[in-house]
C-alpha cells in the first residue's frame, strides 16, 4: 500500500480512518522522545526520521542527496510497521527490544531485521517504542553507520 504524501500529516490523512489515532499516537511518541539532531519528514513514501544534511552532509551512501535514514513507520495493507535501523545495526539494542517486548505486549513479536509489524493496532506498545526511540542518539547512529561503511 504505497501512499504518495508530501508531509506526515498528509500521509496519515490518506490512511484508513480507523488507523488515524494509532498513527498519530505513534508519531507523537516518536517526536516527543526522538533525540536531538534527527528530523522528521517523508522518506521512501513513509513518515521518516533521519539525520539531515545540516548535521551529516555526506547523506546516505546509496544516494548522497538523501539524508541518512534512521527510523520510519508506515501503514501497510495488514499492519502498521515500524522500521528502526539501530535495531538492525546494533545487536545489543535488538536483544534488549526482543527481551522487553513480552513485558509490554501479549502478542507474539512479529519482526524482521529492522521491521516490527503490528497487526493489531490496539496492541502497539507505545511505552516500549518510547524507550526504544530514546536509546540511540544522532551521534551514536552516525558512528554506527560510518563504522559499518568502513567494513565494506
Amino acid at each position: 500500500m504505497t501512499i504518495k504524501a508530501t508531509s506526515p500529516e498528509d500521509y496519515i490523512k490518506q490512511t484508513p480512518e480507523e488507523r488515524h489515532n494509532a498513527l498519530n499516537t505513534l508519531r507523537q511518541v516518536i517526536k516527543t522522545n526522538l533525540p536531538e539532531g534527527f528530523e522528521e519528514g517523508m522518506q521512501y513514501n513513509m513518515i521518516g526520521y533521519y539525520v539531515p544534511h545540516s548535521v551529516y552532509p555526506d547523506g546516505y551512501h546509496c544516494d548522497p542527496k538523501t539524508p541518512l535514514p534512521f527510523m520510519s513507520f508506515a501503514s501497510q495493507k495488514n499492519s502498521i510497521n515500524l522500521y528502526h535501523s539501530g535495531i538492525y545495526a546494533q545487536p545489543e539494542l535488538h536483544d534488549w527490544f526482543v527481551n522487553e517486548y513480552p513485558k509490554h505486549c501479549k502478542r507474539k513479536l512479529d519482526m524482521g531485521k529492522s521491521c516490527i509489524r503490528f497487526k493489531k493496532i490496539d496492541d502497539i506498545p507505545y511505552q516500549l517504542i518510547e524507550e526504544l526511540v530514546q536509546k540511540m542518539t544522532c551521534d551514536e547512529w552516525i558512528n554506527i553507520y560510518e563504522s559499518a561503511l568502513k567494513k565494506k
Side-chain angles (χ1 to χ4, degrees):
M1 169 165 149
T2 302
I3 297 172
K4 301 285 185 186
T6 58
S7 69
E9 295 83 7
D10 184 33
Y11 182 93
I12 292 171
K13 283 180 190 173
Q14 292 185 49
T15 63
E17 190 171 342
E18 63 271 12
R19 290 190 178 187
H20 289 183
N21 187 48
L23 292 167
N24 279 313
T25 302
L26 182 58
R27 180 177 179 223
Q28 193 58 47
V29 164
I30 292 170
K31 284 177 60 173
T32 302
N33 292 284
L34 195 65
E36 189 176 324
F38 292 108
E39 234 175 58
E40 178 189 61
M42 296 304 299
Q43 210 172 33
Y44 304 106
N45 295 315
M46 297 182 278
I47 298 174
Y49 301 88
Y50 47 81
V51 183
H53 285 108
S54 60
V55 175
Y56 190 70
D58 291 349
Y60 187 39
H61 73 280
C62 295
D63 179 4
K65 294 176 192 156
T66 301
L68 178 61
F70 176 61
M71 181 172 44
S72 59
F73 68 91
S75 179
Q76 303 293 356
K77 182 178 179 182
N78 296 313
S79 59
I80 292 176
N81 295 354
L82 175 68
Y83 303 88
H84 192 290
S85 297
I87 282 181
Y88 175 72
Q90 190 177 53
E92 301 85 13
L93 185 57
H94 172 273
D95 294 346
W96 170 84
F97 186 84
V98 169
N99 289 327
E100 287 296 313
Y101 186 85
K103 299 174 188 175
H104 296 266
C105 191
K106 295 176 186 142
R107 300 205 179 272
K108 182 181 175 194
L109 178 59
D110 185 356
M111 185 173 174
K113 290 181 179 182
S114 70
C115 173
I116 307 151
R117 291 173 284 278
F118 302 107
K119 292 182 180 165
K120 302 289 183 185
I121 61 174
D122 293 337
D123 290 336
I124 296 175
Y126 296 111
Q127 183 182 356
L128 179 60
I129 293 168
E130 177 181 321
E131 292 176 42
L132 173 64
V133 170
Q134 295 173 8
K135 290 234 176 246
M136 188 173 288
T137 67
C138 189
D139 287 341
E140 288 171 328
W141 174 234
I142 292 168
N143 288 336
I144 289 168
Y145 173 74
E146 287 182 340
S147 294
L149 281 180
K150 288 177 187 173
K151 292 178 183 178
K152 289 186 175 189

